[in-house]
Amino acid sequence: MQCDYFDAGACRSCTLMGVPEEVQVADAQQRVAALLPTVPHWLAPATGPAEGFRNRAKMVVSGTVEAPLLGILDGAGRGVDLVACGLYPPSVTAAMEPLRAFVTRAGLVPYDVPARRGELKHVHVTTNDDGELLVRFVLRSTESLPRVRKHLPWLLEQLPSVRVVSANLLPAHAALLEGDVEVPLTEQTRLPVRQGSVALLTRPQGFLQTNTDVAGQLYRQVAAWVDELAGAAHQPDDGAAPLQVWDLYCGAGGFALHVAGPGREVVGVETSEQAVAAARDAAAALGLDASRARFTAADATAWAEQQGAAPDVVVVNPPRRGLGDRLCAWLDGPAAEGGARHLVYSSCNPASLARDLEALPGWAPVRGRLFAMFPQTEHAEVLVQLTRR
């Protein structure tokens, strides 16, 4: 990928820019294998496009009302305009100039980080493969909300692909991307984004894998492994008990919805009630009733500890910090030992994955696969299948 911003020294976010894609993937596989030496077998890495792959842009707003900049901040807190960043697909980059014009039209004062004044902090844009958009304005307060509402019809006219618009309130002067309060500004509040074989319903504050192509491969890989684990004993209509699967940290249900089907009882657990509601709606759209795909809003660790019996398969996709001591102890202890025979662990942080595998001595890694989810960087998604020793 060639990038004018990188060549000019304006942006160095893509630390591996200029390194051939095949070298990036090979180096990542070597690093991951070194971190996870107990994984006995590695499948070929899953790759996708090296540019235009990010379905979500989180742009810092700087500059002035008359000349807003959308991009990042440099080390001194000054704005760097990145509206033509090659990581984003055409549907996102085409939205940048209308969004810039909207900032001026609505009189949204960009937030000045060094001076700690202004109103508009970020603009977030999410897209799906149909080019439809979800747009968020991250504001310091409600002061400019009336102007956003007043001029929103103009923006929707300029960008007819926009389906969801919201305002997020972030009053704190902190290096955060969003606050806790979300104000819907359109009737539609969730954008369907197809990843793999399922249309996930992403929301303004929801988690979404940013690389749609590689995320689809990740979800399909987990589904294929669970299909193998089900085996003949869990084929539908043969009288066997259904295969029980938990998807902990399920988000909007990506893994759970790919795994669900005849002969399966799947439970997804996620702290966000909004994400759980979106997963339930996606399951209903697939014709899955609660007996086959059930979702609950709860802390994954506390919920697992409260269950009377473990399932056949546990799928986990924790945040970067990993599973934590309590959940590792539960998975490795007698409560899970009596039921769970298989564990599938998806991680966006191989270092925390390595720590968790050390904390799970009762589990033996079977195989792993690298997913090149973040081209041009050293970040990697790793999937490991484990079985009870």
Side-chain angles (χ1 to χ4, degrees):
M1 173 178 166
Q2 189 278 329
C3 177
D4 292 340
Y5 298 121
F6 186 89
D7 292 345
C11 176
R12 295 290 178 174
S13 299
C14 293
T15 56
L16 299 182
M17 185 66 67
V19 179
E21 182 184 2
E22 61 274 15
V23 175
Q24 293 185 31
V25 174
D27 288 349
Q29 180 64 72
Q30 186 175 10
R31 289 194 304 272
V32 166
L35 270 172
L36 305 169
T38 60
V39 178
H41 174 65
W42 289 94
L43 279 66
T47 63
E51 56 186 292
F53 62 86
R54 287 187 66 93
N55 55 37
R56 179 172 290 180
K58 297 181 178 181
M59 313 298 278
V60 177
V61 184
S62 58
T64 65
V65 173
E66 296 76 18
L69 305 176
L70 305 180
I72 60 174
L73 298 179
D74 64 15
R78 297 182 297 263
V80 179
D81 202 59
L82 298 177
V83 294
C85 175
L87 298 183
Y88 303 118
S91 57
V92 171
T93 54
M96 291 300 165
E97 290 305 329
L99 287 169
R100 195 201 304 269
F102 179 78
V103 172
T104 302
R105 188 180 187 91
L108 305 179
V109 179
Y111 188 73
D112 186 324
V113 172
R116 299 194 176 197
R117 63 171 178 261
E119 282 297 315
L120 181 59
K121 294 186 172 184
H122 304 92
V123 172
H124 299 175
V125 183
T126 302
T127 190
N128 59 21
D129 282 346
D130 294 327
E132 297 174 321
L133 301 176
L134 180 156
V135 176
R136 305 173 74 199
F137 298 99
V138 181
L139 306 170
R140 185 182 64 85
S141 73
T142 59
E143 183 274 331
S144 54
L145 262 179
R147 298 195 301 281
V148 173
R149 287 192 170 101
K150 175 183 177 180
H151 295 284
L152 184 57
W154 178 88
L155 179 64
L156 297 178
E157 181 179 340
Q158 299 300 307
L159 285 173
S161 56
V162 172
R163 297 291 177 266
V164 181
V165 181
S166 70
N168 179 271
L169 302 183
L170 177 59
H173 179 79
L176 300 172
L177 291 171
E178 61 184 22
D180 296 330
V181 178
E182 199 79 22
V183 182
L185 298 175
T186 52
E187 182 177 354
Q188 186 170 330
T189 58
R190 296 187 295 227
L191 181 72
V193 179
R194 178 166 290 276
Q195 295 192 333
S197 57
V198 172
L200 302 176
L201 300 178
T202 188
R203 57 191 173 81
Q205 289 180 299
F207 170 78
L208 179 72
Q209 294 282 8
T210 59
N211 189 322
T212 294
D213 182 288
V214 178
Q217 297 181 61
L218 174 67
Y219 292 139
R220 288 192 177 103
Q221 182 66 79
V222 171
W225 283 358
V226 172
D227 286 346
E228 290 181 23
L229 297 175
H234 291 283
Q235 293 302 310
D237 302 324
D238 67 356
L243 183 77
Q244 296 183 331
V245 183
W246 291 355
D247 178 7
L248 305 183
Y249 309 97
C250 71
F255 290 117
L257 295 172
H258 277 83
V259 168
R264 311 280 174 84
E265 291 180 358
V266 180
V267 181
V269 182
E270 168 63 44
T271 56
S272 168
E273 293 185 0
Q274 291 184 359
V276 166
R280 288 170 179 163
D281 288 347
L286 292 170
L288 298 169
D289 60 30
S291 67
R292 289 194 287 167
R294 177 167 60 90
F295 295 90
T296 186
D299 173 77
T301 300
W303 184 87
E305 291 172 339
Q306 293 166 3
Q307 303 311 300
D312 302 293
V313 182
V314 179
V315 179
V316 293
N317 182 29
R320 288 189 60 81
R321 64 178 180 272
L323 297 176
D325 294 340
R326 280 176 57 195
L327 188 51
C328 284
W330 184 88
L331 286 166
D332 210 53
E337 189 173 1
R341 308 304 305 167
H342 305 283
L343 176 63
V344 179
Y345 192 139
S346 178
S347 172
C348 62
N349 184 357
S352 62
L353 169 59
R355 290 196 301 269
D356 285 345
L357 294 189
E358 290 183 358
L360 294 168
W363 293 90
V366 176
R367 53 187 166 177
R369 192 177 188 190
L370 170 73
F371 291 79
M373 195 81 74
F374 316 101
Q376 319 305 337
T377 76
E378 293 188 349
H379 298 294
E381 186 86 16
V382 181
L383 186 69
V384 175
Q385 178 194 345
L386 303 100
T387 189
R388 180 74 67 180
R389 291 187 191 275

